[in-house]
Amino acid sequence: MKVLVTGGAGYIGSHIVKALGEKGYDILVYDNLSYGHEWAVLHGRLIKGDLADKEFLKSVIQDEKPDAVIHMAALIVVDESVREPLRYYRNNFVNALNLVEVCLEHEVKRFIFSSTAAVYGIPQKVPVTEDTPLLPINPYGSSKVMVEHMLRDAAASSDFNYVSLRYFNVAGADPLSRIGQAREDATHLITVSLRTALGRKSHLDIFGTDYPTHDGTCIRDYIHVDDLSDAHILALEYLASGGSSNIFNCGYGHGYSVKEVVDTVRKVTGINFQVIETARRPGDPPTLIADSSKLRKELGWTPRHDDLEYIIKTAWDWEKKVSRQ
Ligand code: UFG
């Protein structure tokens, strides 16, 4: 099966390409390399292209005739989306619209979409199930909801089928340290903590210690990027075997507080880096935990790395390798 992966040269995309390659899929990566890297594409072919360039996209899909598309390419920084909302709607929604239009025109009927827990906003109930109302609280989350709605409506009016995977907090790296988070400006807790441990930052800010959680800091469901990649393979197999459009949460179903993550980073690295407790970051829900029973039951997903120390260790090995280069 030939799979076109948009954003396949980025952090999560490159791990998905690795998983596809190990399974023997024919892979075509479509990436504008704004944040991705050529070296991160371990399997298949890379085509440098932008989804905004619809004519070029059309020529690639026409020539290559992929059997399925995994659409990863997107902007992902929440506070940036608040400052530059139109850039987010254009990149995340308009580009997805281009892609879906081209897919429908060229009979590409299987589509996997990288969605996010940000579609839920601040959920009333955790763990969060897929039927929780979509009430995003920032343009990033809204742009992803718009794509989900477009996919739902496109699927209802044709024989196009999609799976939307709503990612919780993706972390960790390839255990052989070939690929990992390569963005210098990454803002995610585990990456920032590890870079602080390496001395690349003076300290780590903990954003808010007065949340209604057991230690006052926010709780998140951290999922290893290789387990998330497995979910994509299962979603592809599901669509290939005739499965109809569906939505799945991707997380382990339990969470850790910011302070617990910091303690584990200190343990894994052996470095007692400085932490400063500071004000809340706007828009952070107190607790975000996936109910992933649907993914487990309906797609047979069995995570292999549900272990915070393993997640942090793989990311630590990666950060150390990058810092030596
Ligand atoms: N945090 C800190 N200090 C930091 C970085 C993060 O205290 O330097 C805290 C945050 O305030 C939050 C937790 O650590 O409480 C996790 O923050 P991340 O930035 O690592 O991740 P988010 O939960 O904000 O983001 C993730 C995804 C987003 C998605 C969002 C949904 O990365 O794409 O969940 O809420 F939009």
Side-chain angles (χ1 to χ4, degrees):
M1 191 198 277
K2 188 187 276 189
V3 186
L4 181 117
V5 186
T6 75
Y11 163 54
I12 299 175
S14 62
H15 287 82
I16 290 171
V17 167
K18 177 185 79 165
L20 289 167
E22 285 167 359
K23 290 267 180 192
Y25 283 90
D26 185 2
I27 304 155
L28 192 64
V29 170
Y30 189 95
D31 198 303
N32 66 8
L33 300 183
S34 58
Y35 295 110
H37 299 274
E38 203 171 339
W39 53 256
V41 179
L42 300 180
H43 300 269
R45 285 172 294 143
L46 168 67
I47 292 184
K48 187 171 179 227
D50 205 298
L51 292 171
D53 185 351
K54 198 172 171 190
E55 286 313 307
F56 181 63
L57 176 66
K58 213 184 256 185
S59 70
V60 169
I61 291 196
Q62 209 159 15
D63 293 348
E64 298 287 344
K65 300 185 176 40
D67 301 292
V69 166
I70 300 181
H71 177 42
M72 308 280 311
L75 298 175
I76 57 151
V77 180
V78 170
D79 69 333
E80 185 180 70
S81 81
V82 176
R83 283 181 274 116
E84 301 176 72
L86 301 188
R87 197 172 146 231
Y88 271 69
Y89 288 117
R90 180 164 294 283
N91 268 276
N92 294 2
F93 176 69
V94 177
N95 285 354
L97 172 63
N98 279 347
L99 179 61
V100 173
E101 276 176 344
V102 175
C103 286
L104 290 177
E105 279 164 25
H106 296 279
E107 304 279 304
V108 180
K109 294 176 180 168
R110 299 171 190 140
F111 194 95
I112 295 176
F113 175 57
S114 301
S115 191
T116 167
V119 297
Y120 298 118
I122 301 181
Q124 292 298 307
K125 219 173 72 209
V126 282
V128 187
T129 50
E130 289 84 354
D131 55 5
T132 301
L134 304 186
L135 298 167
I137 55 167
N138 50 58
Y140 167 67
S142 300
S143 69
K144 292 282 182 173
V145 171
M146 287 167 71
V147 178
E148 284 205 7
H149 286 164
M150 171 178 70
L151 291 170
R152 177 197 62 198
D153 298 341
S157 66
S158 67
D159 56 357
F160 170 87
N161 281 296
Y162 74 96
V163 167
S164 183
L165 297 174
R166 294 178 179 156
Y167 309 168
F168 282 64
N169 287 61
V170 187
D174 171 43
L176 302 179
S177 300
R178 293 167 295 180
I179 46 177
Q181 178 57 268
R183 276 185 71 160
E184 273 302 309
D185 58 351
T187 57
H188 291 140
L189 177 63
I190 291 177
T191 300
V192 176
S193 301
L194 292 170
R195 291 179 184 175
T196 310
L198 276 172
R200 289 175 55 192
K201 283 176 55 92
S202 60
H203 67 274
L204 173 82
D205 286 312
I206 292 189
F207 299 133
T209 52
D210 58 349
Y211 284 98
T213 61
H214 64 279
D215 65 12
T217 64
C218 291
I219 294 176
R220 295 287 181 275
D221 188 337
Y222 296 91
I223 170 175
H224 192 277
V225 63
D226 284 337
D227 279 334
L228 180 73
S229 300
D230 288 350
H232 290 72
I233 304 282
L234 294 169
L236 261 186
E237 289 170 354
Y238 165 83
L239 288 178
S241 63
S244 57
S245 296
N246 221 328
I247 296 175
F248 300 96
N249 284 336
C250 298
Y252 291 140
H254 59 86
Y256 295 94
S257 71
V258 174
K259 283 186 176 171
E260 287 165 345
V261 170
V262 169
D263 287 346
T264 313
V265 171
R266 284 176 166 157
K267 182 177 167 199
V268 168
T269 61
I271 298 168
N272 194 18
F273 58 90
Q274 196 192 350
V275 163
I276 295 181
E277 294 183 2
T278 174
R280 289 183 179 200
R281 189 173 69 174
D284 276 338
T287 302
L288 211 43
I289 294 173
D291 181 328
S292 54
S293 45
K294 191 174 169 203
L295 181 65
R296 293 169 196 261
K297 267 190 224 125
E298 295 185 25
L299 296 193
W301 182 67
T302 311
R304 296 177 287 147
H305 306 301
D306 180 359
D307 174 353
L308 187 62
E309 284 192 25
Y310 176 85
I311 293 174
I312 291 172
K313 171 80 170 58
T314 55
W316 176 231
D317 289 344
W318 167 254
E319 292 296 338
K320 281 191 296 187
K321 179 183 161 185
V322 171
S323 76
R324 285 195 297 267
Q325 283 170 352

